[in-house]
Amino acid sequence: MVGQGVLRECLVAPDVSEVLTVGRNATGQTDPKLRELIHADMFDYTAIEQRLAGYDACFFCLGVSSVGMKEEAYRHVTFDLTLAAGRTLARLNPTMTFIYVSGENTDSTEQGKRMWARVKGQTENALLQLPFKAVMFRPGGIEPMHGITSKTKVYRVAIALGRPLWPVLHRLFPGAVTTSEKVGRAMLRVAREGSPKPIVNTRDINELTAVVSGATAP
């Protein structure tokens, strides 16, 4: 959902001149700004490095649910996959802003009991050591907007069942709930202006977009 959301916000933003998506499958979208690069091996970018240079920002939204996964397997598709991209882009674009979509309650100590939180924490910490401007986004509950849907069935069901509650949740828990639109706009703002801190949580996301929505948001 986050990837779809930030892609939409990039395409409608007047100051974004070009967007390159890199993935195993096409997005299904068309736009004059959009360039799509289908790449099978997301652990090795050697063959396409020349296509990845010259960009100002990377919004890294790839990820999987940890449900039913052993730690070694989850770490491979979380830490190893993310760092393969991060190390390549840091070398090619050292002035780039790299925004990694992590999650609420990620464990920066890498010592907690929750496997997914430890692995996400390891990933964040490794990215923050690379020679580019890395910012970790930790959204909590995300309401999908503009027809965006999750690829994970259990999330789709939960979101559909909870749809009548979203207005209440936004009002009562502004520090825990946001929208796909707000996440995308906050990521763009951080890419433009930077972030005062390396970790951005749900409340930060909502505050970033509250300022933008009253000014120049598309």
Side-chain angles (χ1 to χ4, degrees), residues 9-19 33 56 188-189 191-193 216 218:
E9 299 309 313
C10 286
L11 295 179
V12 301
D15 62 340
V16 175
S17 59
E18 181 178 309
V19 180
K33 296 181 183 180
D56 300 307
L188 266 177
R189 184 173 183 192
R192 294 182 183 110
E193 304 174 14
T216 59

Side-chain angles (χ1 to χ4, degrees), residues 43 62-64 69 72-82:
F43 294 89
L62 290 176
V64 297
M69 296 187 71
E72 182 179 357
Y74 183 69
R75 189 178 189 279
H76 182 57
V77 296
T78 300
F79 182 94
D80 295 342
L81 185 145
T82 305

Side-chain angles (χ1 to χ4, degrees), residues 15 22 28 33 36 45 47 52 86 97 154 159 178 194 196 198:
D15 62 340
V22 183
K33 296 181 183 180
E36 295 198 276
Y45 296 88
L52 305 179
T97 297
V154 65
I159 289 167
T178 187

Side-chain angles (χ1 to χ4, degrees), residues 154-166:
V154 65
Y155 293 166
R156 291 198 304 270
V157 173
I159 289 167
L161 292 174
R163 186 166 288 116
L165 299 177
W166 282 116

Side-chain angles (χ1 to χ4, degrees), residues 2 99-108 116 124 134-142 173-179 182-187 190 195-210:
V2 176
I99 296 178
Y100 174 59
V101 180
S102 183
E104 195 77 44
N105 299 316
T106 290
D107 179 14
S108 297
W116 74 265
E124 287 187 351
V135 181
M136 309 297 113
F137 264 52
R138 293 183 179 181
I142 303 174
F173 305 104
V177 179
T178 187
T179 69
K182 288 181 179 180
V183 176
R185 291 185 176 186
M187 292 169 77
V190 168
S195 174
K197 53 186 180 180
I199 295 174
V200 175
N201 61 28
T202 303
R203 188 177 296 277
D204 299 323
I205 290 168
N206 291 335
E207 290 177 352
L208 284 166
T209 51

Side-chain angles (χ1 to χ4, degrees), residues 62-124:
L62 290 176
V64 297
S65 169
S66 64
V67 176
M69 296 187 71
K70 299 292 187 180
E71 183 164 351
E72 182 179 357
Y74 183 69
R75 189 178 189 279
H76 182 57
V77 296
T78 300
F79 182 94
D80 295 342
L81 185 145
T82 305
L83 268 295
R87 288 166 179 152
T88 299
L89 291 173
R91 175 167 48 81
L92 297 173
N93 305 289
T95 62
M96 164 182 281
T97 297
F98 187 99
I99 296 178
Y100 174 59
V101 180
S102 183
E104 195 77 44
N105 299 316
T106 290
D107 179 14
S108 297
T109 72
E110 306 180 23
Q111 303 298 318
K113 294 182 178 180
R114 288 173 297 185
M115 179 270 286
W116 74 265
R118 289 197 309 273
V119 174
K120 288 282 192 180
Q122 293 168 3
T123 307
E124 287 187 351

